[in-house]
Amino acid sequence: MQSKLQLLQFQEEELSDFAPMDNEFESLEGELSRLSNAAELVSNSQLGTHLLSGDDDQSIMSQLSSLKHTINAICEMDPNASSMLETIESAYLDISELSRELDHYSQHIEVDESALQAVENRYSQYIELSRKYQCQPNDISSKYDAIKNELDAFNSSSQNEEELDAKIASLESSYGDLAQSLHESRTANAEILSSKISDAMKSLNMPDGVFIIDVKADFDNPTQTGVDSINFIASINPGMPPQPINKAASGGELSRICLALQVA
């Protein structure tokens, strides 16, 4: 999980530094073509302007002007041919506008080597990253968004996990405090009850009888009822060490011990 987080953080930082934008690669392709062919674009647009409106009689504008005079003469002789004059006038205006656009276009094209180098570098970075992230160059921006979303989800999950760990630690601490308090209460009450049962045993013809409720805590093995294990042990005769009551007492003695428990 840690290695996955580190990978996402590296990828997010790398793409953040690159700062891809939607549809940028397509724009770079067009800009790269324009800048790398700037000299040819200038030459062709200037040639187009010359062909349309050059000073010689062979330009299209000159030819259209001559044609316009010819059709005008036809219309003077035949009014039914006026539609042809309208067509040639429209064509003349369109070609004139096209000539102005080409001239304006040629004047605003710059052969800029530094701009070309910058575009080539950016274009190459897109290609390199697309190979690295196994996607199309146009999809680098979407890939970046996906990585950011995955990293946000991962961080949110990690935060929730940390909060859960903190809650578990808090509950364990509370359990430990309650278990300790319960152990102390059980120990104190076990001593009181053990003394009462021992007194009751003496009144039942077991003058040397001792009953012990043995409470031992094991905090390494907690349970729903606490950390204590409770055993009943007894000594019936003088000099006998306390043992589990099933070993320390005979059948009749066990009966009297049970009665002592009821009396106590």
Side-chain angles (χ1 to χ4, degrees):
M1 183 174 291
Q2 186 63 28
S3 60
K4 176 65 173 178
L5 175 60
Q6 291 174 346
L7 175 61
L8 288 172
Q9 289 173 334
F10 171 80
Q11 291 176 332
E12 194 277 335
E13 183 177 354
E14 180 178 49
L15 292 178
S16 175
D17 292 340
F18 180 65
M21 294 182 290
D22 291 340
N23 303 317
E24 182 184 12
F25 184 74
E26 291 182 357
S27 299
L28 286 172
E29 286 183 309
E31 188 71 2
L32 183 60
S33 177
R34 187 183 69 82
L35 290 172
S36 59
N37 295 289
E40 188 173 353
L41 289 172
V42 171
S43 176
N44 286 337
S45 58
Q46 289 176 344
L47 175 61
T49 302
H50 177 73
L51 291 173
L52 290 172
S53 58
D55 295 333
D56 57 72
D57 294 337
Q58 300 301 315
S59 69
I60 294 175
M61 295 288 291
S62 296
Q63 296 292 325
L64 285 175
S65 181
S66 298
L67 181 58
K68 180 180 178 182
H69 287 299
T70 300
I71 293 177
N72 190 53
I74 293 173
C75 291
E76 288 177 354
M77 293 182 284
D78 182 3
N80 292 328
S82 61
S83 62
M84 291 188 293
L85 183 59
E86 293 175 359
T87 301
I88 193 64
E89 287 177 345
S90 176
Y92 188 88
L93 290 174
D94 288 341
I95 294 300
S96 177
E97 178 62 25
L98 177 58
S99 176
R100 284 193 295 270
E101 288 181 6
L102 270 175
D103 183 56
H104 181 270
Y105 177 78
S106 66
Q107 292 179 18
H108 287 80
I109 295 177
E110 296 181 4
V111 180
D112 190 338
E113 293 297 332
S114 61
L116 175 60
Q117 185 63 51
V119 171
E120 285 179 338
N121 289 341
R122 184 73 173 171
Y123 183 89
S124 297
Q125 284 180 296
Y126 263 101
I127 297 298
E128 180 181 350
L129 287 171
S130 71
R131 291 171 179 167
K132 183 174 183 179
Y133 288 94
Q134 299 181 345
C135 64
Q136 294 298 316
N138 274 329
D139 296 332
I140 290 295
S141 179
S142 298
K143 185 70 173 180
Y144 177 39
D145 291 338
I147 289 173
K148 287 193 294 183
N149 290 337
E150 187 175 0
L151 182 59
D152 288 343
F154 199 101
N155 287 333
S156 177
S157 175
S158 297
Q159 182 177 358
N160 291 338
E161 185 176 346
E162 290 175 0
E163 292 175 355
L164 183 59
D165 288 341
K167 187 173 183 178
I168 290 174
S170 176
L171 291 173
E172 286 178 343
S173 177
S174 297
Y175 175 90
D177 292 341
L178 291 172
Q180 179 63 40
S181 176
L182 181 60
H183 171 70
E184 293 173 356
S185 175
R186 282 172 171 168
T187 300
N189 284 287
E191 291 179 359
I192 295 172
L193 185 56
S194 295
S195 178
K196 289 183 178 181
I197 294 172
S198 295
D199 290 342
M201 288 170 64
K202 290 179 174 58
S203 67
L204 294 171
N205 200 28
M206 287 188 287
D208 298 311
V210 176
F211 190 89
I212 300 173
I213 302 175
D214 184 35
V215 181
K216 286 187 168 56
D218 183 2
F219 284 91
D220 293 330
N221 293 287
T223 68
Q224 292 181 342
T225 57
V227 296
D228 297 321
S229 61
I230 300 176
N231 293 295
F232 295 159
I233 58 177
S235 174
I236 306 300
N237 300 309
M240 287 182 58
Q243 296 180 3
I245 57 174
N246 63 329
K247 294 182 178 180
S250 64
E253 291 169 336
L254 280 175
S255 298
R256 281 181 282 171
I257 291 175
C258 289
L259 182 58
L261 285 169
Q262 296 175 12
V263 173

